[in-house]
Amino acid sequence: MKTLITGATGQLGTLVVKHLLDRLPASEIAVSVRTPAKAENFASLGIDVRHGDFDDLALMTNAFKGIETALIISAEADNATRIAQHRTAVDAAKATGVKHLVYTSIVDPRSDADFTYSAIHLDTENYIKESGLNYTLLRNSFYADLLLAGVPHALETGAYGAPAGDAKITYIPRNDLAEAAAAVLANPENHINAIYDLTGSKAVSHAEIASYVAKATGKEITFADLPADVHVGILNSIGLPGHLVEALAGLYVGAKKGDYETVSSDIEKLLGRPAQSVDDFISKALAA
Ligand SMILES: NC(=O)c1ccc[n+]([C@@H]2O[C@H](COP(=O)([O-])OP(=O)(O)OC[C@H]3O[C@@H](n4cnc5c(N)ncnc54)[C@H](OP(=O)(O)O)[C@@H]3O)[C@@H](O)[C@H]2O)c1
């Protein structure tokens, strides 16, 4: 019986596979990907590459055959589409006899959150719980990696912009979330029906983030609190889909209410260490 990772050609999935290879032999790992040609690196390592797409129940059911434990990495689409996609993945897992589902959720999943994608995760979590399969819910906080997007502009202008005011968010590096997922996948029996809040060890303000960028680059950079409409205009101008613009705008509205400032030590239970700090993450990312 194998352990399968969906979305393995994505950024998080690639890192989960990397960390899982430290814990399991390649012969016990399978991946479900939408484009198998993009997964030749996995195949060359001896990983079982399967064709799967959350939009296709038959394909997904085929991908889950002979799988004991599966990580469903959440997809990227508008809420109605993504809820249906995730439900399809759960249905396929149940139909093929998968025993344990691990899912990448979000911290504090709610139907009424300003971060509109939160409602997707609540629906998927509930659907997984109702499936009767063993589960582990990884309630990931926001990727520290996302903070790097503002760096080029900050270097040009001296202003690190975000519509964040004094909001503090428990950003955490994607790599730590991937390692936590791999730790669960390697020993799922230790995490049956567990829910983990995976946050950084500190909630950081965007003024602090600007100071980390300044320190890492040796440049004078300060935080610029962007008006919400300016932020939305920037996101639209780079061609992001409307549902993503709405979710990102809502993230900061929620954060200003304190939605994403609660620190949890759950990551330490999975990694045996705290998450890499945002300060250290930015320093190493910008030195690379
Ligand atoms: N916590 C956060 O801060 C944060 C930030 C951004 C996103 N997320 C969520 O976390 C997920 C993973 O993050 P990431 O950085 O790895 O994103 P990513 O690099 O965009 O990867 C997303 C993965 O989802 C797969 N996918 C999309 N639609 C699918 C479908 N219909 N069926 C099967 N797979 C599908 C993609 O497959 P392909 O490789 O075939 O395209 C890709 O592998 C995202 O999809 C999103 O739901 C979280």
Side-chain angles (χ1 to χ4, degrees):
M1 296 292 262
K2 294 184 179 182
T3 297
L4 179 137
I5 296 153
T6 75
T9 41
Q11 297 165 92
L12 181 71
T14 299
L15 290 167
V16 175
V17 174
K18 173 178 160 252
H19 288 294
L20 197 55
L21 281 167
D22 291 337
R23 294 162 167 84
L24 293 181
S27 58
E28 292 179 20
I29 302 175
V31 293
S32 162
V33 297
R34 290 193 294 180
T35 314
K38 277 170 45 185
E40 279 167 9
N41 54 330
F42 294 139
S44 69
L45 293 171
I47 291 172
D48 181 358
V49 176
R50 296 160 178 216
H51 188 196
D53 189 324
F54 298 159
D55 287 322
D56 186 330
L57 177 64
L59 203 57
M60 217 51 236
T61 304
N62 204 41
F64 277 132
K65 281 201 178 123
I67 298 301
E68 184 155 358
T69 304
L71 172 66
I72 296 179
I73 290 186
S74 65
E76 181 55 53
D78 63 85
N79 283 31
T81 304
R82 195 141 48 118
I83 284 172
Q85 289 174 334
H86 293 173
R87 286 181 172 221
T88 296
V90 176
D91 289 342
K94 192 170 174 179
T96 52
V98 171
K99 294 199 169 44
H100 191 129
L101 277 182
V102 184
Y103 172 66
T104 58
S105 184
I106 193 75
V107 279
D108 188 23
R110 275 191 285 130
S111 59
D112 61 348
D114 294 294
F115 176 59
T116 44
Y117 286 170
S118 190
I120 299 169
H121 295 291
L122 179 68
D123 183 89
T124 306
E125 283 199 2
N126 288 337
Y127 202 71
I128 289 171
K129 288 175 184 166
E130 287 160 16
S131 74
L133 304 184
N134 290 338
Y135 62 83
T136 309
L137 303 175
L138 305 174
R139 290 183 172 168
N140 292 347
S141 188
F142 293 91
Y143 300 156
D145 311 58
L146 303 176
L147 301 170
L148 301 176
V151 171
H153 181 78
L155 290 175
E156 267 174 44
T157 64
Y160 184 89
D166 296 330
K168 294 188 172 191
I169 297 180
T170 56
Y171 290 108
I172 177 168
R174 190 192 269 115
N175 182 57
D176 282 339
L177 295 170
E179 191 175 340
V184 169
L185 292 172
N187 292 102
E189 66 283 358
N190 295 342
H191 308 284
I192 292 174
N193 300 352
I195 300 176
Y196 297 111
D197 290 326
L198 300 179
T199 74
S201 53
K202 182 182 166 195
V204 293
S205 71
H206 292 70
E208 286 174 287
I209 292 161
S211 77
Y212 303 152
V213 175
K215 188 171 65 167
T217 59
K219 302 271 162 53
E220 199 165 312
I221 290 169
T222 52
F223 168 57
D225 187 15
L226 294 182
D229 58 334
V230 171
H231 177 238
V232 166
I234 293 169
L235 298 178
N236 282 324
S237 75
I238 58 173
L240 297 186
H243 57 86
L244 179 55
V245 173
E246 185 188 18
L248 290 173
L251 157 60
Y252 291 104
V253 174
K256 283 180 172 177
K257 297 177 185 169
D259 281 358
Y260 302 112
E261 65 182 23
T262 304
V263 170
S264 163
S265 60
D266 284 354
I267 192 88
E268 296 178 42
K269 292 182 198 158
L270 300 180
L271 300 186
R273 60 168 174 84
Q276 182 186 21
S277 70
V278 173
D279 187 1
D280 190 53
F281 171 80
I282 288 177
S283 156
K284 295 210 165 72
L286 297 185

